[in-house]
Amino acid sequence: DKKVVLITGCSSGIGLSLAVRLASDPGKTYKVYATMRNLDKKERLLDCVKGLHKDTLDILQMDVTDRQSILDVRDRIAEKRVDILVCNAGVGLMGPLEVQSLDSMRQILEVNLLGTIQTIQAFLPEMKAQGQGRILVTGSTGGLHGLPFNEVYCASKFAIEGACESLAVLLLHFNIHVSLIECGPVNTDFLVNLQKVELGDLSLQQVDTQTLSLYEKFLQHCGSIFQNAAQDTEDIVKVYLDAIKSPSPAFRYFTGGVVPPLTQMKITEPDGSQCIRAMSELIFSVEEKQ
Ligand code: NAD
């Protein structure tokens, strides 16, 4: 029997690559339900599988903020079960906190946090009844340590850590494994899709000059990190496959292969001050040191 996989956010990026890889698995091990909020965007995924794999791939509409769309997908799964649930959909929000509207902050939390949680909620009873399952979540190093100008995004990703860790403890008793695939920068549409306050935006007129110059530095740092250190989606997919194939998967996978130094520092220096200083130096460079 094929393993039934459901993935959220498959119109681009990590979700798309993972759907393509699993649907085209040479052993035909997986039946993939690739879901996306907007089916008008399915061409890219279809192009990648070149119209093949009709027996291993189904594309369905699902908006993780819309409970009914999640339930509709659940009803359309022919096998009536999901063995591997991949919660991947997510969006970013970047800019000085004082200009973020309540609506845009709410939207990020709706998608990243509540969207992930309500997707898991919908498939959990069935997985518990099966007495087995995998829940994999695309996590972020922004869920492990804070990033300036990403307060709400980090809040959403930190929250995911808490939700997943809590669930993992309980689900041990149901033979359901929860794993976070912790990504650093990845070459995807993420930067294009995120809600970002641009330097020329009118809203920035109300922001003090020091914040503005730090934001400019941050954007430069961010640009160079994505240019020089970003991983490709294939690298992330490999880590996903490790987790999927492992008989006893870890709770956290770091896609870079090692625990990032700043994450390590949080453990060895739990009072936090060194970690915060190190992050500031990393992003704003030594000139800002006081
Ligand atoms: P991406 O923008 O290409 O993919 C995100 C996908 O989520 C898109 O297909 C988008 O349409 C979808 N999505 C957004 N809102 C949705 C909704 N309401 N319902 C369903 N789908 C929705 O970027 P990506 O990098 O592939 O992002 C995937 C995940 O990886 C996200 O959770 C993101 O936070 C995480 N991540 C990305 C990076 C990075 O640098 N790219 C780093 C760390 C973590």
Side-chain angles (χ1 to χ4, degrees), residues 264-275:
Q264 191 69 49
M265 199 183 276
K266 275 187 89 160
I267 301 160
T268 54
E269 312 290 339
D271 85 12
S273 42
Q274 272 202 45
C275 189

Side-chain angles (χ1 to χ4, degrees), residues 8-16 35-38 41 44 62-66 87-92 107 110-112 115-116 138-142 153 157 181-194 226 230 233:
T8 67
C10 290
S11 62
S12 60
I14 298 167
L16 181 144
T35 70
M36 57 184 71
R37 182 182 35 181
N38 181 358
K41 294 190 177 166
R44 202 157 146 189
M62 177 168 141
D63 178 339
V64 297
T65 65
D66 174 359
C87 297
N88 165 76
V91 277
Q107 181 59 20
E110 285 285 340
V111 177
N112 295 3
T116 302
T138 309
S140 171
T141 48
Y153 176 71
K157 293 293 186 182
I181 311 300
E182 311 282 16
C183 304
V186 188
N187 286 314
T188 64
D189 291 352
F190 187 75
L191 280 189
V192 179
N193 289 339
L194 67 69
F226 267 88
T233 55

